[in-house]
Amino acid sequence: MMKMMTRVLSSPSSHVSSLKYSPRRVIRASRDHLRAETLKSHQLPSGSSSTSLCSCGRKHFLEAASPTMPFLPICSPNASRSKDVSETFHPQRPDWYKELFAWFLSTGMRSYEAEIAEYKRKLFEKLAGKAETVLEIGVGTGPNLKYFAGNENVCVFGMDPNHKMEKYACESAREAGMKPENFRFMHGVGEAIPLDDDSMDSVVATLVLCSVSDVTQTLNEIKRVLKPGGIFLFIEHVAAKDGSFFRHVQNVLDPIQQVVADGCHLTRNTDLHISAAGFDGGTEINDTAIYSFPWIIRPHVYGAAYK
Ligand SMILES: C[S@@+](CC[C@H](N)C(=O)[O-])C[C@H]1O[C@@H](n2cnc3c(N)ncnc32)[C@H](O)[C@@H]1O
């Protein structure tokens, strides 16, 4: 049933460091400071939107279309005069859309989670006894938190721009048997992670790099917050092979997918982005196919990259 191929791009030279968790230095400066820094690094005038050009090189469908199609589930970029840094990278949506998407993830992913469970179990084993501080970007409803069960020392920061995910993620942490002090939900985006440099033993992303506005910036941020020797775990759906029938269909359906699935792209070569990100300790990328998803989301990559 499953096609599996491993590409070891370079051998990990080191593993997760076991430096001690220091909560005081983890949460960084104020949002205003972050926004100023982020805008500066993107050379944007204050108040302008950085998401007009997507990292796939195309104008972002939702934002491009919203002025002419007001029924789309996206607020006008000018809706709020004081957009925070998350809104710079994650288009604003109405509350009903955020709630609906969170509800869909909490109820509609059960067969996917059952199929992917064995991959996740093996991947998360890499963290056993090594990672005390973990950042999960795009934590969503928290389907990965159960893989930390049994690790009493782990402290997981679950970050997501959709605050409607919080109640589901906290419930998942509780169901996984995590102590309340071992899970913290944070509002934020992968492109501007509000954590210190070299502060995390591990960063986790599952089905997220398809949705961020800027994959390269997100990977740079992941490298920045990882401690030397830290490990990035990922599972992502990716574009089908160039020129294939599946790929043509993905190209056609991609704009619709962005509307119905909160900016998710069907045609990202996320594996190439991860390979190109330059993780010093090496990158392992595996290909597989997941059958419980609609076939346009079937091709997956998963693996680990070491700082
Ligand atoms: C398809 S869901 C996956 C959620 C969860 N990781 C999982 O495996 O079920 C994508 C998640 O990424 C979040 N997201 C979207 N844009 C993001 C960004 N720029 N940075 C971080 N997370 C983002 C969404 O709010 C959503 O929770």
Side-chain angles (χ1 to χ4, degrees), residues 54-56 60 89-91 93 101 105 109 112-113 116 120 123-124 135-144 157-162 165 185-186 188-193 203-219 221-222 232-238 257-258 261-271 273-274 293 297 299-302:
C54 179
S55 61
C56 62
H60 199 285
F89 289 103
H90 186 249
R93 319 269 190 217
F101 191 55
L105 285 184
M109 300 287 283
Y112 173 82
E113 287 302 330
I116 203 83
K120 288 191 174 178
L123 212 50
F124 281 81
L135 167 68
E136 176 159 359
I137 65 166
V139 67
T141 58
N144 299 327
F157 295 86
M159 190 182 76
D160 206 287
N162 181 350
M165 300 290 179
F185 185 90
M186 293 162 51
V189 287
E191 294 90 338
I193 300 172
V203 176
V204 172
T206 64
L207 307 179
V208 176
L209 295 178
C210 53
S211 297
V212 300
S213 297
D214 189 330
V215 187
T216 303
Q217 167 82 6
T218 300
L219 289 165
E221 280 290 276
I222 290 169
F232 169 46
L233 299 182
F234 55 88
I235 301 178
E236 295 288 340
H237 69 85
V238 289
Q257 174 76 358
Q258 288 177 44
D262 197 12
C264 168
H265 293 63
L266 294 173
T267 53
R268 285 233 166 118
N269 288 307
T270 302
D271 44 339
H273 283 282
I274 296 172
F293 256 2
I297 316 180
H300 272 56
V301 295
Y302 66 97

Side-chain angles (χ1 to χ4, degrees), residues 32-283:
D32 286 351
H33 172 68
L34 254 177
R35 176 166 166 72
E37 269 193 355
T38 309
L39 290 174
K40 197 166 59 184
S41 70
H42 282 251
Q43 300 183 320
L44 287 174
S46 181
S48 68
S49 168
S50 72
T51 47
S52 56
L53 243 201
C54 179
S55 61
C56 62
R58 295 156 61 180
K59 194 163 170 55
H60 199 285
F61 178 79
L62 282 176
E63 293 203 0
S66 60
T68 49
M69 292 189 246
F71 53 85
L72 286 177
I74 180 172
C75 299
S76 154
N78 300 321
S80 161
R81 287 169 58 204
S82 57
K83 292 194 295 178
D84 72 9
V85 72
S86 294
E87 289 155 0
T88 304
F89 289 103
H90 186 249
Q92 292 178 69
R93 319 269 190 217
D95 265 8
W96 66 262
Y97 181 98
K98 293 183 196 166
E99 184 66 75
L100 188 65
F101 191 55
W103 172 82
F104 167 74
L105 285 184
S106 76
T107 56
M109 300 287 283
R110 290 192 184 123
S111 55
Y112 173 82
E113 287 302 330
E115 187 178 353
I116 203 83
E118 193 53 20
Y119 295 92
K120 288 191 174 178
R121 200 185 52 71
K122 287 205 176 111
L123 212 50
F124 281 81
E125 262 173 17
K126 292 176 186 287
L127 304 185
K130 295 175 186 153
E132 291 184 355
T133 50
V134 177
L135 167 68
E136 176 159 359
I137 65 166
V139 67
T141 58
N144 299 327
L145 298 174
K146 58 175 169 286
Y147 298 97
F148 296 105
N151 185 348
E152 295 246 313
N153 297 324
V154 77
C155 180
V156 180
F157 295 86
M159 190 182 76
D160 206 287
N162 181 350
H163 62 92
K164 299 287 183 184
M165 300 290 179
E166 180 168 3
K167 59 177 180 291
Y168 294 103
C170 290
E171 178 61 15
S172 297
R174 202 188 56 74
E175 280 173 5
M178 294 177 82
K179 291 189 207 144
E181 61 270 28
N182 288 5
F183 177 73
R184 174 165 174 184
F185 185 90
M186 293 162 51
H187 186 251
V189 287
E191 294 90 338
I193 300 172
L195 297 176
D196 269 348
D197 298 359
D198 304 334
S199 57
M200 294 287 117
D201 292 318
S202 177
V203 176
V204 172
T206 64
L207 307 179
V208 176
L209 295 178
C210 53
S211 297
V212 300
S213 297
D214 189 330
V215 187
T216 303
Q217 167 82 6
T218 300
L219 289 165
N220 285 339
E221 280 290 276
I222 290 169
K223 284 198 299 176
R224 180 183 66 73
V225 301
L226 275 176
K227 293 175 186 170
I231 179 170
F232 169 46
L233 299 182
F234 55 88
I235 301 178
E236 295 288 340
H237 69 85
V238 289
K241 212 168 157 229
D242 264 352
S244 64
F245 170 72
F246 279 177
R247 180 56 188 271
H248 288 306
V249 180
Q250 282 181 330
N251 288 344
V252 171
L253 296 181
D254 192 40
I256 299 169
Q257 174 76 358
Q258 288 177 44
V259 175
V260 298
D262 197 12
C264 168
H265 293 63
L266 294 173
T267 53
R268 285 233 166 118
N269 288 307
T270 302
D271 44 339
L272 301 183
H273 283 282
I274 296 172
S275 311
F279 281 89
D280 289 342
T283 305

